[in-house]
């Protein structure tokens, strides 16, 4: 009884009653989970030189990461996970505009922290693969583990179009899944449907830029690579990156 009473008191003490704080923490945790799984899939592929993963497994990891993340925070924050989705909800008047910058900041922070966790998890593998040199281009580059980079042939305008179409398809698909007027997804399986949507976009539109489709997902880890030693090149459009990373959805 004493232990049960202590646990109840601790639970009451730690319980967060402010709704905005609860939503922000849920969004932070969900994005952390999303990026942790997504980047780990890419890290396993890159650092093993394709022996323990390939582009398909990286895409699959990213899609399943979305499913886990939506299950993690869907009941609290709605699991936006993506500034583009938060903006869409504002435009549709289903989300208050004043919350938008807060959610964007939290999503970006979650992605930044998660990139640090993946770097720690794969530190030895990254150092071994890169021979201790952190670069964003060349045959032993490792920056693409964390952020997406354009294929060598891609122009800036085509890259912009690629992201507009990919992100628009993602948003339209999610809205269709959520729309109760459509043929409904069985209750509780909405995250699975979203994961399948993401996977379909990855395997059909991933070759140009790697399907980031998420500003927070791309900018947070990219900022981490900048401060962690990859340098300012991670923010430049440079040819010869070598590969397009896994989905970053």
């Amino acid at each position: 009884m004493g232990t049960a009473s202590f646990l109840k008191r601790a639970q009451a003490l730690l319980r967060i009653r402010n709704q905005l704080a609860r939503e922000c923490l849920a969004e932070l945790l969900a994005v952390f989970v999303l990026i942790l799984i997504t980047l780990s899939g890419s890290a396993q592929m890159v650092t093993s030189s394709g022996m323990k993963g390939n582009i398909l497994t990286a895409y699959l990891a990213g899609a399943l990461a979305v499913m886990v993340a939506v299950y993690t925070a869907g009941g609290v924050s709605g699991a936006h996970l993506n500034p583009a989705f938060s903006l869409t909800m504002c435009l549709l008047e289903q989300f208050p505009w004043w919350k938008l910058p807060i959610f964007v900041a939290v999503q970006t922070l979650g992605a930044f922290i998660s990139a640090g966790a993946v770097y720690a998890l794969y530190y030895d593998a990254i150092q071994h693969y890169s021979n201790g040199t952190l670069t964003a281009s060349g045959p032993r580059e490792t920056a693409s583990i964390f952020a997406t980079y354009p294929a060598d042939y891609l122009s800036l305008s085509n890259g912009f179009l690629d992201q507009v179409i990919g992100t628009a398809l993602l948003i339209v698909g999610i809205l269709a899944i959520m729309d109760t007027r459509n043929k409904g997804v069985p209750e509780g399986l909405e995250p699975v449907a979203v994961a399948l949507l993401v996977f379909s976009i990855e395997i059909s539109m991933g070759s140009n830029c790697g399907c980031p489709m998420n500003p927070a997902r791309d900018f947070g880890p990219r900022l981490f690579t900048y401060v962690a030693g990859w340098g300012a090149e991670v923010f430049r459009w440079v040819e010869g990156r070598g590969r397009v990373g896994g989905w970053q959805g």
Side-chain angles (χ1 to χ4, degrees), residues 113-137:
I113 296 173
S114 189
V118 172
Y119 181 58
L121 179 64
Y122 278 92
Y123 178 81
D124 288 346
I126 291 172
Q127 293 297 317
H128 178 265
Y129 175 80
S130 65
N131 295 320
T133 303
L134 303 179
T135 62
S137 60

Side-chain angles (χ1 to χ4, degrees), residues 39 112 115-116 119 134-136 142-147 149 218-235:
L39 298 190
F112 181 91
Y119 181 58
L134 303 179
T135 62
T142 48
S144 64
I145 291 174
F146 299 91
Y149 294 93
D218 193 80
F219 179 72
R222 193 182 300 273
L223 181 61
F224 172 81
T225 56
Y226 172 71
V227 302
W230 274 265
E233 188 180 353
V234 300
F235 285 108

Side-chain angles (χ1 to χ4, degrees), residues 18-24 27 76-78 80 82-83 86-87 89-90 94-107:
N18 182 275
Q19 182 60 28
L20 178 60
R22 288 167 59 86
E23 291 176 1
C24 288
E27 199 74 8
V76 180
S77 67
H80 288 199
N82 187 337
S86 297
L87 175 61
M89 292 295 98
C90 289
Q94 297 182 23
F95 190 69
W97 282 97
W98 66 269
K99 281 187 178 181
L100 178 61
I102 299 174
F103 264 48
V104 171
V106 169
Q107 291 158 357

Side-chain angles (χ1 to χ4, degrees), residues 173-227:
I174 293 174
L175 293 177
I177 291 170
M178 294 170 54
D179 193 341
T180 56
R181 295 169 296 181
N182 288 336
K183 187 173 183 179
V185 176
E187 186 176 358
L189 293 181
E190 295 89 349
V192 178
V194 174
L196 291 174
L197 166 65
V198 168
F199 189 61
S200 70
I201 298 174
E202 293 171 342
I203 61 176
S204 62
M205 300 182 182
S207 63
N208 284 336
C209 296
C211 288
M213 300 183 293
N214 185 334
R217 175 268 165 272
D218 193 80
F219 179 72
R222 193 182 300 273
L223 181 61
F224 172 81
T225 56
Y226 172 71
V227 302

Side-chain angles (χ1 to χ4, degrees), residues 21-100:
R22 288 167 59 86
E23 291 176 1
C24 288
L25 288 174
E27 199 74 8
L28 182 70
L29 177 60
V31 172
F32 180 86
V33 169
L34 167 66
I35 305 306
L36 182 66
I37 298 174
T38 299
L39 298 190
S40 292
S42 293
Q44 182 165 290
M45 173 186 68
V46 172
T47 58
S48 69
S49 298
M51 296 298 294
K52 297 181 180 178
N54 52 40
I55 193 66
L56 186 61
T57 63
Y59 283 156
L60 185 59
L64 294 176
V66 174
M67 179 188 70
V68 177
V70 175
Y71 275 125
T72 298
V76 180
S77 67
H80 288 199
L81 310 176
N82 187 337
F85 183 75
S86 297
L87 175 61
T88 300
M89 292 295 98
C90 289
L91 293 172
L92 294 176
E93 298 183 347
Q94 297 182 23
F95 190 69
W97 282 97
W98 66 269
K99 281 187 178 181
L100 178 61

